[in-house]
Each structure stands twice: as C-alpha cells, then as structure tokens.
Amino acid sequence: MTNAKPLRLRSVVVERQDAVGAAFNTLAIADLRLAPGTKTGLAGASGAGKSTLLDVACGLLSPAWGDVIWGDINLSRMPESARDRWRRETVGIVFQDFNLVPELSALENILLPARFGSFRLKPSLRDKASELAARMGLHHLTRRAAVLSRGEQQRVAIARALILDPVLILADEPTASLDVSTAADVSALLIAEAAERGATLLVASHDSLLLNRMDFVLHMSAGRVDRHT
Amino acid sequence: MNPFPMVLADLRAMRVGALMTIILIGLAVMIGIGVGAQERALRQSSARTAGDFPLLIGAPGSQTQLVLTTIYLQAEALPLIDGAILRKLTQDTRVAAIAPLAYGDIVKGYPIVGTTLDFVTRWGRLAPIEGRLFERENEAVVGAMVDLHIGDIVAPSHGVVSSGRRAGIAGDEEAGHRHQEAKLSVVGRLPRLDSPWDRAILVPVESVWEVHGLGNGHEGRADHLGPPFDMTSLPGAPALVVKPKTIADAYQLRAEFRQGGTMALFPAEVLTSLYASLGDIRDLLVIASAMNNVVVLLAILLLLVTLTSLRRKRYAVLRALGATRIYVAVVVWLGATILTTAGCLLGVGLGWLAAQVLSHVIEAQTGLVLHPALGPQEAMLAFAMGAIAAVFALVVAAATMGNSGSNALRS
C-alpha cells in the first residue's frame, strides 16, 4: 500500500530573463500526469528544462503560471513555509553532484533532513539511518562525507533522500558523476528503494541504461515535452 | 528544528577564517575592557594610598606635584617650607598629629624618607612585621618590598630615584654621591601597604636634616627624636602631613595655610581633579575603542556576507531537502553570533590579561600595587558589543532569506 498520490502539472510556465531583461520560457508544460508508484525518466539535451521541471515538481520553484497538484493539494497556492514542510515530508531528492555537507559524517548527512523539523532525533531514526546505510552497502558512517569515494557519496545521498520515507523521489542526473559499474549499482538501488516504498520516481538523466529501466520516458526540448515512450 | 549540526559544519568549513574572526573581535574588545579595568584599579589604589595623608602642607607650587611626590614618592625636588610652620603647627590645638616628610637621599634606588614615628606607624595603625621601629638617629625601618635585611648597614646617597630605574639596584650615579660619613642601620620592616611606600626606607627626620647639614631640630639633645622640636634651630621640610582633630579643624587649617607662603590641600581634592582627567582620557579611549569595534564588526559583517554568498548552493541544497528559509537564516545567524560572541568573550579575557600586565608594569615603575578586576562596566561593554554583533548578524542572515533556492542549486 503506497501513500503516493498522482502528481499533475497543469498549464505550467516558468519564465526567466535573459541578459537584457527580456522574459523567455524555460518550461512550458500543458498537462503532465504521473500516476502513483510509477517510474518516469526525463531525457533531453542540457538546457531542455529537465532540472527546472524537477524544481517545479518539488515546489522549490514556483511557476509563473499554472498549477502543480499533488493529490488534491495545489502546491502553487500553498504558502512557501507549508510547501517546504510538504517537500520535507513527501519528497526525496538526489542530485548529480551529491551535494553532501562535507564536514558532516555520512550518518549526519543521512539524518540531515530530519534536523529541519525537530530538535531531537527519534532514536528510531538513527536505527533507520543505520539500516538504510547497510542496505546501501555503506560501512563508514562515522567518516566525514568529504573522504568517501564518489560511489559512497552518492549512496549516502540516496540514503539521505530516503530517510523520511518520501513517496515522491526526484533524481537529477544521479549517475552522471559515477563510473559505469557504480552507476549501474546506484541505479539499481534507487529503483529498488522506490519500488519498495511504492514511491513515484522521476529521474532526469542522460544515462540510457537508467532510462531503459523506467516505466515511461519523457523527451524534452526547449522546456517542452516533445514525446513520451 | 535543530540548526546546530549545520552551524558546526559551517564553522568547521571556515575554521581558519572563524579563528581569525574571533581573534580580531577579541583584540578589538580587549582595548575597551583593559582601559576600563585598569583606570578603575588605578583610581582605587591611589585613593587607598592617599588615605593616610589627611592634610598636606607644602611650599607654594604645583598641588599635583606635592601630592605625587609626597604620597606616591614620585621624586621631584620640592622647595622647603620654613621650620617655623612646623613649630607653629605642633603647638596648634586643632592638630592631632603632625609629621614632616623630608626627601633627597636614596639607597640602592630606594627613596629615603625622613619622618616621625607617628607617621611611620600611620598614626598608630601599623606595627613592624619584623624587628622594631627606629629609636635613634641612623636607624631605619624599611618598607615590605625593600631588598634589605634587619641588621644591614647602608650608606645613603644624595639624589632622587629617577623614573624607569629599577629599585634595589644601586646605579653609578648613586655611588658618586654617597654620604660616606652617614650610615643607616636597618632595624625593622613594615607590613605591606601595596603602595610606593613599600619601597621606601623610613628614617628619623633628624637623620635627613643632619646628613644635609641642617642640624637635627633638637638643640643640645642629640638623642631625642620627633616632636617637640627645638624652636630656635628647626630646619624646614618639603612637606608636612597634618592629622587634624576634626573635619572642621581640617577645613580651618587648610584655609589658614593656603596663604602666607604655604599651600595646604586635601589630597582627595587633587586626586578628584586627576581622576577627572583620567576619566576623560578613559572616556576618549573607550569611545575610540568602541568606534574601532564597530568598524571591526562591520568588516567582519562584510566578510560573513561574502562567505555566506559563497555558500549559496550549500544553503539551496538545504532548502531543496526541505529546510525552510527560517532554518537557513537561523543557521547563518547562529554561526555569525557564535563567532562574535566567542570574540567578545576572548576580548574580556584578553582585556583582563592586558590590565594585569599593565598593572605589573605600573607596579614595577611606581610601587603602586593595582588589583584590576572586571566589573559591571566591562560586562556591559562586552554585552553591548555582543548585542550589536548579533544585530549585525541578522543582516547577514536576512541576506540569505532572499536567495532563490532553484537558481542557487544550478550555480
């Protein structure tokens, strides 16, 4: 049984300004629906709008027009603080370059999202972090993130994304910084963890091996979804 | 929310910069703290020392110099007042006790002060901690810090203690002006007074007069010390310390001896004026230090704004992971405030240390023992600095609130 809900982007437009101040669209989505628990890939050249779509989907970026709807919650009309809380409780994000806090240990990095909501950590969260780390094949939890290998760093980043049991997992080029073998391992982990939670998975990637394992792939260019396979 | 793991991570990330920031603020705060504590200690110590000198009478001249020379033994040749004044005061019914003070000789850099037993015992308050009081001419009682022992016999030299010269060491100049015929035998040691008098050698005033060929103030009675003096051959003295019987007597005597070739003063009134000047200097230094502190804080604020802008992506990641803008602002504000508070605390410590060091320097040069301590004023100064820094840190924190998480993530 999953708590994931349908994610819908309706008439979403994101504008940016060029060097002379003229507005141009970086994202223009007429209607995009992701069913709960599905795995969707975003393909396209750099600048096609994949990362912008991820930012909009998690409420980090507010569109100029349109609605981002999670179940029956319209994120576009939520106050920012409520959107932040929703993101913390609902979304797990994995970045291309991991974005760990290098001065913190692997364990502290995994637990970081839990620090945003409460002062004291529940003991069960620490156990859960250790368990997650074990599943990710991480053995050096007390080591600073800065001294871990790139593969280990991405595993820590995935564990961090999963620590609060998100039902929407967004990954932006999760394998781009990794060698082929490690990329395959990380891809398998990400897909398996999403499947186990029944979470909706949305992955922006150039990695065809990863994209081939998605239920759907949306091909983007110039901020639009051209086609899906 | 718990911002501390991120705050500690931020501080770790900038550890050299953090250390330099703390040291910079510490040095800036140190000046105000040190000046305040030192000035107050100087005031308290000098006032304590002056307590044994109710009314001073000297020849007309600088009141400040009379106080400095008489109470703090800052050597300066003072003109003598006529022995008739001493004679007149010893017979005055308003006077409880009177002591002439005569200077002009030194031993191993220690000033010799000729006076009476009344003054040596500070009007009966003190007793020797070792040996006894002098009972005849050529006997001496030494201050607690004088490096002479009971039974030592020394020859005084004509001269004064020059500033900057260490007491306890006889200079070449001293050897050249020695009164070879005069010998002083150390017979006692006084308790510590924490004043320049701890480094003085006290002898009967008659000894000083005799050494300088002025007689001994007791015609035909060479074995007599102190009042009553002989009325016909009484030499003068640079200063007289008078202990009046009542406050009214003190004011009457001061008014009376402010004319007719003498100058009379309560040391407190001169000290009050000196304190006012000291206070003005202190205020100037504290104001200068406060302005300096504000400039330092502004520079640090700029540094923190720069550092924070360099961390835009780091904070954007926190936002993407679900942190609110408030969380990020609190992380930045706490980090900056911890640095500035640590700097203020370091400044308090350094200020106290600086005051202690300065006290030792002053003690070595003047014999005046200071006990600088931190008081509410210093606490207020440090608190004010910390509060201003905390407000400044809000500016840094507020600057992070406007950052777009999405843009920063792609930067």
Side-chain angles (χ1 to χ4, degrees):
Chain A
M1 181 65 185
T2 174
N3 292 321
K5 294 176 179 171
L7 176 67
R8 183 176 182 195
L9 278 70
R10 186 174 63 197
S11 307
V12 166
V13 174
V14 174
E15 281 186 348
R16 293 197 195 269
Q17 291 186 329
D18 64 17
V20 293
F24 67 97
N25 291 350
T26 54
L27 191 69
I29 305 287
D31 194 4
L32 174 66
R33 296 167 193 245
L34 301 182
T38 53
K39 306 188 291 284
T40 305
L42 295 173
S46 295
K50 305 187 295 294
S51 297
T52 305
L53 195 154
L54 292 179
D55 287 354
V56 168
C58 72
L60 194 61
L61 180 61
S62 293
W65 292 287
D67 298 305
V68 179
I69 301 163
W70 172 256
D72 53 0
I73 302 169
N74 190 332
L75 299 180
S76 307
R77 297 187 184 166
M78 282 171 93
E80 189 180 31
S81 56
R83 210 161 56 229
D84 291 336
R85 193 168 55 248
W86 171 84
R87 186 164 57 248
R88 186 169 67 240
E89 292 168 353
T90 312
V91 185
I93 301 182
V94 180
F95 303 95
Q96 174 183 340
D97 42 4
F98 328 132
N99 286 328
L100 300 178
V101 180
E103 298 80 19
L104 294 181
S105 68
L107 183 64
E108 279 297 333
N109 267 289
I110 294 170
L111 289 168
L112 191 57
R115 303 287 191 182
F116 304 148
S118 63
F119 191 83
R120 283 184 181 279
L121 285 179
K122 292 178 192 162
S124 59
L125 263 179
R126 283 192 180 277
D127 296 342
K128 186 176 171 185
S130 301
E131 186 190 324
L132 261 175
R135 285 220 306 266
M136 301 284 156
L138 290 166
H139 305 295
H140 309 299
L141 290 187
T142 54
R143 284 193 189 166
R144 283 189 301 116
V147 300
L148 299 177
S149 70
R150 296 186 71 75
E152 285 175 317
Q153 288 189 28
Q154 191 59 305
R155 285 184 170 89
V156 171
I158 292 172
R160 179 181 64 183
L162 299 175
I163 186 69
L164 295 181
D165 288 326
V167 285
L168 174 61
I169 299 172
L170 308 179
D172 192 359
E173 305 282 4
T175 57
S177 302
L178 306 174
D179 60 65
V180 176
S181 163
T182 311
D185 290 348
V186 164
S187 299
L189 264 175
L190 193 58
I191 290 167
E193 291 293 336
E196 189 177 308
R197 287 168 172 72
T200 304
L201 179 63
L202 184 58
V203 181
S205 181
H206 293 100
D207 182 348
S208 55
L209 289 175
L210 176 57
L211 291 174
N212 285 340
R213 301 179 69 175
M214 298 290 114
D215 299 328
F216 309 99
V217 176
L218 307 178
H219 296 269
M220 296 186 70
S221 67
R224 295 169 191 278
V225 177
D226 290 340
R227 62 191 168 89
H228 67 270
T229 54
Chain B
M1 67 173 142
N2 184 354
F4 290 103
M6 272 312 296
V7 171
L8 292 177
D10 278 0
L11 293 177
R12 253 182 252 160
M14 58 175 287
R15 48 188 173 274
V16 175
L19 196 64
M20 295 307 293
T21 301
I22 291 171
I23 290 172
L24 199 61
I25 294 176
L27 289 174
V29 172
M30 175 189 81
I31 300 168
I33 300 283
V35 166
Q38 189 62 51
E39 189 266 348
R40 193 172 54 249
L42 192 60
R43 194 186 291 224
Q44 288 168 345
S45 179
S46 57
R48 194 174 55 240
T49 303
D52 288 325
F53 299 78
L55 178 66
L56 279 181
I57 297 177
S62 162
Q63 292 193 345
T64 306
Q65 191 56 57
L66 180 63
V67 167
L68 290 177
T69 305
T70 309
I71 301 177
Y72 304 108
L73 300 179
Q74 294 299 297
E76 186 70 34
L78 293 176
L80 302 184
I81 52 174
D82 197 326
I85 306 291
L86 175 58
R87 184 175 56 204
K88 186 178 170 186
L89 279 165
T90 52
Q91 294 170 335
D92 197 307
T93 55
R94 295 166 296 180
V95 174
I98 181 167
L101 297 179
Y103 315 94
D105 291 334
I106 53 175
V107 168
K108 291 172 76 175
Y110 299 114
I112 294 175
V113 183
T115 187
T116 62
L117 282 176
D118 265 352
F119 184 76
V120 172
T121 60
R122 295 299 194 274
W123 324 111
R125 182 168 60 85
L126 301 181
I129 53 167
E130 194 182 346
R132 59 174 172 79
L133 295 170
F134 54 68
E135 292 171 352
R136 57 184 65 87
E137 282 187 37
N138 302 325
E139 287 187 342
V141 175
V142 297
M145 305 301 288
V146 172
D147 186 21
L148 290 175
H149 302 97
I150 307 291
D152 283 354
I153 294 174
V154 291
S157 297
H158 188 68
V160 292
V161 182
S162 54
S163 61
R165 200 165 91 200
R166 278 183 62 192
I169 298 170
D172 295 341
E173 195 183 333
E174 195 175 318
H177 294 83
R178 191 155 287 150
H179 300 290
Q180 294 297 348
E181 73 288 356
K183 300 289 181 200
L184 292 173
S185 171
V186 178
V187 296
R189 183 183 300 279
L190 289 175
R192 186 162 179 156
L193 300 171
D194 284 349
S195 80
W197 289 82
D198 288 335
R199 295 179 178 183
I201 298 173
L202 284 76
V203 300
V205 67
E206 290 84 352
S207 290
V208 177
W209 284 334
E210 287 250 42
V211 164
H212 292 92
L214 301 172
N216 72 352
H218 303 285
E219 194 68 38
R221 296 170 59 208
D223 57 336
H224 189 80
L225 297 182
F229 295 104
D230 181 78
M231 300 305 165
T232 55
S233 61
L234 186 56
L240 303 177
V241 186
V242 179
K243 188 181 180 195
K245 284 180 178 165
T246 66
I247 292 174
D249 293 337
Y251 276 92
Q252 277 181 16
L253 287 165
R254 185 184 68 147
E256 199 173 307
F257 285 90
R258 274 186 159 180
Q259 50 203 338
T262 54
M263 173 173 72
L265 55 91
F266 299 135
E269 61 189 326
V270 175
L271 288 178
T272 302
S273 159
L274 277 175
Y275 293 159
S277 302
L278 266 179
D280 290 346
I281 294 168
R282 178 208 56 202
D283 290 347
L284 275 176
L285 284 171
V286 168
I287 289 169
S289 151
M291 289 170 69
N292 176 46
N293 292 351
V294 170
V295 171
V296 167
L297 283 180
L298 281 173
I300 285 165
L301 172 74
L302 213 64
L303 173 77
L304 292 175
V305 167
T306 309
L307 278 175
T308 304
S309 67
L310 290 173
R311 294 211 184 110
R312 281 179 70 225
K313 185 171 182 182
R314 181 179 175 110
Y315 297 136
V317 169
L318 297 187
R319 297 271 291 114
L321 295 176
T324 59
R325 286 183 194 271
I326 296 286
Y327 180 89
V328 175
V330 168
V331 166
V332 172
W333 180 80
L334 263 179
T337 302
I338 285 172
L339 285 185
T340 51
T341 303
C344 287
L345 291 176
L346 178 68
V348 171
L350 287 177
W352 180 82
L353 201 63
Q356 298 294 329
V357 170
L358 202 57
S359 294
H360 280 96
V361 172
I362 290 174
E363 183 184 348
Q365 290 192 345
T366 68
L368 197 61
V369 177
L370 308 181
H371 300 288
L374 301 179
Q377 285 170 314
E378 286 69 51
M380 276 302 293
L381 182 70
F383 178 77
M385 272 292 288
I388 292 170
V391 172
F392 281 3
L394 277 179
V395 178
V396 186
T400 62
M401 302 269 288
N403 288 344
S404 155
S406 177
N407 284 343
L409 264 182
R410 315 290 168 220
S411 59

